[in-house]
């Protein structure tokens, strides 16, 4: 995570980087992780380059799934009305 934060600060000028992660273990013996990044949409308008970097960083550690629509813009001044959508996108 530290390498990813350094990449974001260096390449996008982000100072505040939010994230949420969870470890899941279903019926199989293997666990897996989910990660949601909370980033300034004024600095990152489309995640193509960021997605490529994340895949490059994670591939040596295992499978990296591709998410079809991996981003959602949230208006920070209207967060209460958008919280349900945010939860839906992260399920």
């Amino acid at each position: 995570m530290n390498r990813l934060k350094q990449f974001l600060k260096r390449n996008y000028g982000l100072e505040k980087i939010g994230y949420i992660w969870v470890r899941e273990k279903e019926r199989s013996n293997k666990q897996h992780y989910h990660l949601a990044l909370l980033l300034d949409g004024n600095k990152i308008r489309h995640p193509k380059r960021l997605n490529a970097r994340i895949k490059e960083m994670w591939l040596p550690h295992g499978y990296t799934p591709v998410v079809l629509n991996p981003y959602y813009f949230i208006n920070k001044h209207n967060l209460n009305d958008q919280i349900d959508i945010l939860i839906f996108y992260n399920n």
Side-chain angles (χ1 to χ4, degrees):
M1 194 66 204
N2 287 336
R3 285 178 44 212
L4 180 58
K5 285 185 191 179
Q6 289 173 352
F7 172 81
L8 291 167
K9 287 179 182 181
R10 187 172 44 250
N11 290 276
Y12 295 101
L14 294 171
E15 291 300 320
K16 294 182 180 180
I17 299 167
Y19 62 94
I20 302 166
W21 68 272
V22 64
R23 181 180 62 189
E24 272 189 341
K25 184 176 178 183
E26 294 180 7
R27 294 180 185 151
S28 69
N29 290 332
K30 295 187 177 184
Q31 59 192 12
H32 65 278
Y33 297 85
H34 296 263
L35 171 69
L37 297 171
L38 307 171
L39 307 170
D40 186 347
N42 291 316
K43 296 192 178 196
I44 301 179
R45 297 303 295 173
H46 194 276
K48 182 178 179 180
R49 191 168 130 210
L50 175 58
N51 286 344
R53 181 66 176 145
I54 290 171
K55 286 179 191 179
E56 179 184 312
M57 294 170 88
W58 190 254
L59 198 54
H61 305 288
Y63 172 69
T64 305
V66 176
V67 178
L68 293 177
N69 295 310
Y71 61 94
Y72 183 77
F73 289 105
I74 298 171
N75 182 340
K76 68 181 179 181
H77 302 293
N78 196 14
L79 185 58
N80 289 336
D81 293 342
Q82 299 177 10
I83 197 72
D84 290 338
I85 295 170
L86 179 61
I87 292 169
F88 172 78
Y89 268 85
N90 286 292
N91 274 330

